[in-house]
Amino acid sequence: MSGTPAGYGIEALDVYAGSAAVSARAVFDGRGLDPRRFDNVASDRRSVALPFEDPVTHAVNAARPLLDRLAPADRDRIELLVTSSESGIDYSKSIASYVHRHLGLPPTCRLLETKQACYAATAALQLAVGYLAGGLSPGAKVLIVSTDMSLADERARYAEPVTGTGAVALLVGDRPRVLTADPGAFGVHSFETLDSARPGPDLDIADADRSLMAYLECLSRSFADYRSRVEGADFATTFDLLALHTPFSGMVRAAHRRLMRELYRSPADAVAADFERRVAPSLVHPGQTGNLFSGSLYLALASALDHARLDGPARVGLFSYGSGCSSEFFSGVVGPEAAAAVAEARIGPRLRARADLDFAEYTALLAENTACLRPAAHRDVDPARYAALLGRAADRPELLALTGVRDHHRQYAWI
Amino acid sequence: MNGSAESVPGTDSAEERVLAVLRRTTLEIVPEVDPALFTPDRTLSDLGCNSIDRAEIVTLAMEELDIAVPVHEFHQGMDLAALAAIMRKQL
């Protein structure tokens, strides 16, 4: 193989969204939330971690099936591993260091953890594509894994039923079967604000109104920046499909409606038809997991590829938003082969195979899960305690599990 | 007091204009809202508006008034008087 690569982007994608889930309706009813607001949520299930799961196990359990499908020679070319997370386990030691070990990646690999709320994976992707296109190490691959734990409980009110947990793995390189990035086609908008944050290992804070206003403004401004860089770009006609960061589907619907109204003064029925055609395919998988933080956009992309019918090359517009805040609108090209590549991950069947929890089982797990990110010098975790629950997940693959902490060192085993 | 925005003491005419626009956009986005409940001491949540409704009402009102309120000025739980005040500053 020689010559200049045709492009750079995502070669493969895989997802781990837990082995258990609870219905959003059960959480709504169990918490006594206003049932009239359920339609706004428009979510089916929320993925739930088991107490032997943490950001490391999520990341490894998302990336391992992807690596298992890879030829050994390709696997050896992974020269950078980035984990993106807002669920840090240490101020200094990265999640990536554990993930590198438990995935058995080559020692000739840079390790890095990134943080910028739900934007962090996109920042890593854009930097990786730029690095690869720089040609410093021809044929190199980058593995980016976004991984997060939910801390949402009754304190999160209406965000609780739609906050998920899980990880999305992206393999980035010069044979981009899933998404070929449009070189130089991006627009960015960032400014400091406190809309949501995680100031402690067991505390999420969020201002729903400020966060929504920031998301809407960022979509509008980052697309304006994109348009200033990409001649002739038009939101309504340039993109055959759209995938947006999906905290919950109502947010995505509102963002699409706002931009269509702002740019074209489109009437409501035209906006709704456009939404069904270009956006709705991206919301199917996210509706089965809840918000996966910086993996959310890439789960939406996978959903679009799993559910839209592609007869030939198509352009996807992607919008990433991370509280705090930083955002980006960018684009890439997909095609029938992209759908085939994503189908290999069997995301839909694996989401359906998770154990269904009732509300009481769910709240009991929530209480245990709050220990997940809290620093502890020593801790014991016995995955066998959850064997019955895990047994309800159909055809589950071998999973990496946290078995404890010894002198601050996290211990893991395959179960 | 008849509960309408216009009769509230301490509001100037610009603020009344903002409240009138907010009232109109609220009824446009959420037609089920009882107009009699639209008083400055209530929040949009009190009127039954969810987070998306609230963002749309505020966005539409800003478009109509041709203003842009900085994102950090918004926070959860503002009553309509507080919302009108931060919009009024941008007129």
Side-chain angles (χ1 to χ4, degrees), chain A residues 213-386:
Chain A
M213 294 307 290
Y215 183 112
L216 295 174
E217 180 167 316
C218 281
L219 174 61
S220 174
R221 299 281 175 88
S222 65
F223 182 69
D225 188 40
Y226 178 98
R227 203 165 44 171
S228 76
R229 295 170 194 271
V230 182
E231 205 183 332
D234 177 69
F235 185 73
T237 58
T238 301
F239 314 103
D240 306 288
L241 287 170
L242 294 164
L244 282 70
H245 170 53
T246 306
F248 60 104
S249 61
M251 176 80 253
V252 174
R253 188 180 285 273
H256 168 264
R257 190 160 51 207
R258 166 173 165 166
L259 204 54
M260 292 297 284
R261 199 176 57 217
E262 179 182 307
L263 294 173
Y264 311 105
R265 303 271 150 209
S266 303
D269 56 343
V271 172
D274 184 67
F275 181 86
E276 285 307 315
R277 185 173 61 84
R278 294 198 298 159
V279 186
S282 74
L283 299 177
V284 182
H285 291 332
Q288 295 300 323
T289 63
N291 185 4
L292 291 193
F293 301 80
S294 79
S296 160
L297 170 61
Y298 300 94
L299 182 66
L301 172 65
S303 181
L305 289 167
D306 269 341
H307 297 99
R309 187 167 290 279
L310 294 176
D311 300 320
R315 178 156 278 113
V316 189
L318 299 105
F319 173 65
S320 180
Y321 172 80
S323 288
C325 65
S326 191
S327 70
E328 182 157 352
F329 189 97
F330 62 110
S331 61
V333 174
V334 299
E337 205 203 351
V342 167
E344 287 172 9
R346 300 179 61 252
I347 297 168
R350 282 165 55 204
L351 292 175
R352 284 191 288 277
R354 291 170 301 172
D356 267 316
L357 304 172
D358 63 29
F359 185 68
E361 290 170 324
Y362 160 73
T363 50
L365 286 171
L366 274 193
E368 288 194 68
N369 283 343
T370 55
C372 173
L373 303 177
R374 227 180 266 148
H378 298 280
R379 222 183 120 205
D380 289 310
V381 182
D382 180 11
R385 280 187 57 207
Y386 311 96

Side-chain angles (χ1 to χ4, degrees), chain A residues 41-75:
Chain A
V41 163
S43 193
D44 193 20
R45 290 196 292 173
R46 163 191 167 156
S47 60
V48 181
L50 298 176
F52 57 80
E53 296 189 304
D54 73 358
V56 173
T57 66
H58 276 358
V60 169
N61 291 328
R64 186 177 164 182
L66 181 157
L67 296 178
D68 285 348
R69 295 194 296 272
L70 217 57
D74 287 339
R75 190 186 165 104

Side-chain angles (χ1 to χ4, degrees), chain A residues 87-310:
Chain A
S87 311
I89 51 172
D90 188 288
Y91 286 111
S92 167
K93 185 172 169 59
S94 71
I95 292 167
S97 63
Y98 286 109
V99 172
H100 176 260
R101 171 179 173 177
H102 293 287
L103 287 175
L105 292 174
T108 49
C109 179
R110 294 185 176 99
L111 307 182
L112 179 68
E113 179 174 320
T114 60
K115 171 172 68 185
Q116 177 39 59
C118 302
Y119 171 68
T122 297
L125 174 64
Q126 294 293 54
L127 296 178
V129 167
Y131 167 73
L132 295 173
L136 302 179
S137 182
K141 297 189 191 303
V142 177
L143 180 62
I144 298 168
V145 194
S146 63
T147 180
D148 274 293
M149 310 307 292
S150 165
L151 298 179
D153 54 18
E154 69 271 28
R155 295 171 298 181
R157 305 273 298 150
Y158 289 89
E160 184 188 4
V162 292
T163 307
T165 184
V168 179
L170 305 174
L171 185 71
V172 184
D174 62 7
R175 284 179 285 161
R177 282 180 72 202
V178 174
L179 177 91
T180 305
D182 288 328
F186 65 91
V188 175
H189 192 69
S190 304
F191 59 95
E192 195 279 326
T193 191
L194 184 69
D195 55 337
S196 81
R198 186 171 278 185
D202 49 12
L203 177 64
D204 272 348
I205 55 169
D207 186 309
D209 289 66
R210 190 178 293 155
S211 198
L212 254 66
M213 294 307 290
Y215 183 112
L216 295 174
E217 180 167 316
C218 281
L219 174 61
S220 174
R221 299 281 175 88
S222 65
F223 182 69
D225 188 40
Y226 178 98
R227 203 165 44 171
S228 76
R229 295 170 194 271
V230 182
E231 205 183 332
D234 177 69
F235 185 73
T237 58
T238 301
F239 314 103
D240 306 288
L241 287 170
L242 294 164
L244 282 70
H245 170 53
T246 306
F248 60 104
S249 61
M251 176 80 253
V252 174
R253 188 180 285 273
H256 168 264
R257 190 160 51 207
R258 166 173 165 166
L259 204 54
M260 292 297 284
R261 199 176 57 217
E262 179 182 307
L263 294 173
Y264 311 105
R265 303 271 150 209
S266 303
D269 56 343
V271 172
D274 184 67
F275 181 86
E276 285 307 315
R277 185 173 61 84
R278 294 198 298 159
V279 186
S282 74
L283 299 177
V284 182
H285 291 332
Q288 295 300 323
T289 63
N291 185 4
L292 291 193
F293 301 80
S294 79
S296 160
L297 170 61
Y298 300 94
L299 182 66
L301 172 65
S303 181
L305 289 167
D306 269 341
H307 297 99
R309 187 167 290 279
L310 294 176

Side-chain angles (χ1 to χ4, degrees), chain B residues 52-67:
Chain B
I52 297 295
D53 299 332
R54 301 197 295 270
E56 296 220 289
I57 288 162
V58 169
T59 304
L60 211 59
M62 289 196 301
E63 278 174 23
E64 197 161 318
L65 294 163
D66 197 23
I67 57 169

Side-chain angles (χ1 to χ4, degrees), chain B residues 18 51 83:
Chain B
V18 173
S51 57
L83 199 52

